[in-house]
Amino acid sequence: MEHILTIGFLITLLAATIRLSVPILLAALGGMFSERSGVINIGLEGMMLTGALFGVIGSYMTGSPWIGIGFAIVGGMLLALIHAYMTVSLGVDHVVTGIAVNILSVGLTSFIFRAKFGITTTPVTVNAFKPLALPVLKDLPVLGPIFFQQNILVYLAFLLVPIVSIILYRTSWGLTIRTVGEHPKAADTVGINVIKIRYLCVLISGVLAGVAGAFLSLGQFNMFVDNMVSGRGFIAVAAVIFGKWKPLGILAASLVFGLADALQIRLQAAGTGIPYQWFLMLPYLVTVLAMSGLVGKTTAPAALGKVYEKN
């Protein structure tokens, strides 16, 4: 227990917080695009799981984790396309479709994994991303081990936050997305193709959720196991709301959930005498508290979850 109060413990805790927040951050940024255009996406969990499997298959077949990321993007997009077609084209309830996508992914990934690798007693391992220490910066006291000794997907994920923010608030395309999510009728009146924008945004959510899943299978581990996403997709949905549909807010929310996850892992190994199951539920407890309204008033896009039919 004494080592919990040391600087070394704090550094490893914060480094893990950065790393564990990445899959939530990526999926939540994707979910934000979808929801900003008016489409609720609780299918992020399934898209992440599919991305995790496809990433491993891509890396297994080619030996390259980067090609694995390409496979993961395809996997995430396929499920996103189903979600977009059901919600945007057919007008099915967004929540129902999201649940169906999640259920489908569980059975589909299990089937594909066994069809590809058979029933194995030892995990199938693949080439994965290694930590990439940035020259000079890695040697900075305290900050170096926390921020600059991560794998490259971590750097890219955090770089994505200002890029998404610029796209959303400083470009005409971002304005179009926000308009479609707030007033689709008005957007249609000025010539914006609401259906097309919603399809694109849902597909973007699939791309980022697929990469988020691949981060788990290729960035944190080098294998795939059933249900390895373990609710992180649902936490990403909470992060979108917790972050009030804004990139910086989502970043903050992802770090909070990442800290909870990193803390529970270390408390399990700290020898506290408390059953480890209590620590396991910490990230989910934070999610429940966030969803219970403790984050204060949030205002969703006005047309979120509403089917748009062009007259």
Side-chain angles (χ1 to χ4, degrees):
M1 280 292 292
E2 294 78 15
H3 71 283
I4 288 180
L5 304 177
T6 63
I7 292 294
F9 176 85
L10 184 62
I11 289 175
T12 57
L13 174 67
L14 293 178
T17 296
I18 297 293
R19 186 171 60 255
L20 294 174
S21 67
V22 167
I24 298 170
L25 174 63
L26 288 169
L29 287 175
M32 184 206 68
F33 271 104
S34 177
E35 300 208 352
R36 277 286 191 165
S37 73
V39 180
I40 299 172
N41 191 351
I42 64 170
L44 293 175
E45 176 85 3
M47 295 172 194
M48 287 179 70
L49 187 60
T50 305
L53 173 63
F54 276 53
V56 165
I57 291 175
S59 182
Y60 179 82
M61 292 174 63
T62 66
S64 168
W66 283 110
I67 296 180
I69 291 291
F71 273 61
I73 288 173
V74 172
M77 285 183 69
L78 288 175
L79 281 192
L81 185 60
I82 294 173
H83 187 60
Y85 179 70
M86 297 295 288
T87 55
V88 180
S89 295
L90 301 185
V92 179
D93 185 275
H94 298 187
V95 175
V96 173
T97 305
I99 293 172
V101 165
N102 290 332
I103 294 173
L104 173 65
S105 70
V106 173
L108 191 64
T109 54
S110 180
F111 169 75
I112 294 175
F113 181 80
R114 281 158 182 75
K116 175 68 180 175
F117 301 108
I119 300 175
T120 61
T121 55
T122 55
V124 177
T125 58
V126 296
N127 288 333
F129 291 97
K130 308 295 183 189
L132 177 64
L134 299 183
V136 181
L137 294 175
K138 67 180 175 59
D139 297 322
L140 291 174
V142 181
L143 297 180
I146 294 175
F147 295 106
F148 305 115
Q149 296 183 22
Q150 308 281 359
N151 74 55
I152 191 168
L153 293 182
V154 175
Y155 305 130
L156 293 177
F158 279 83
L159 182 62
L160 198 58
V161 175
I163 293 175
V164 168
S165 188
I166 290 171
I167 291 173
L168 196 61
Y169 295 110
R170 301 292 178 87
T171 67
S172 59
W173 195 59
L175 177 61
T176 298
I177 293 172
R178 289 185 284 134
T179 304
V180 167
E182 296 289 343
H183 304 287
K185 182 66 177 177
D188 196 2
T189 302
V190 298
I192 295 173
N193 188 329
V194 174
I195 304 299
K196 179 181 175 182
I197 293 298
R198 287 188 168 179
Y199 258 91
L200 283 174
C201 288
V202 175
L203 289 177
I204 290 173
S205 75
V207 169
L208 292 180
V211 176
F215 179 85
L216 293 173
S217 60
L218 299 176
Q220 286 189 250
F221 310 104
N222 60 345
M223 66 182 74
F224 173 84
V225 294
D226 288 338
N227 297 315
M228 68 182 301
V229 176
S230 300
R232 290 180 178 85
F234 297 116
I235 293 176
V237 174
V240 175
I241 301 170
F242 187 74
K244 301 183 178 180
W245 293 271
K246 298 177 181 177
L248 289 178
I250 288 171
L251 172 61
S254 301
L255 289 171
V256 170
F257 292 123
L259 175 62
D261 203 5
L263 188 60
Q264 65 90 7
I265 293 172
R266 274 146 187 80
L267 288 178
Q268 285 185 55
T272 60
I274 300 173
Y276 74 91
Q277 292 90 344
W278 289 99
F279 298 125
L280 278 174
M281 71 176 185
L282 186 58
Y284 307 101
L285 181 62
V286 171
T287 304
V288 170
L289 292 174
M291 297 296 286
S292 299
L294 293 185
V295 296
K297 183 180 179 181
T298 59
T299 304
L304 182 61
K306 297 179 181 177
V307 176
Y308 179 72
E309 295 181 356
K310 187 172 183 177
N311 294 325

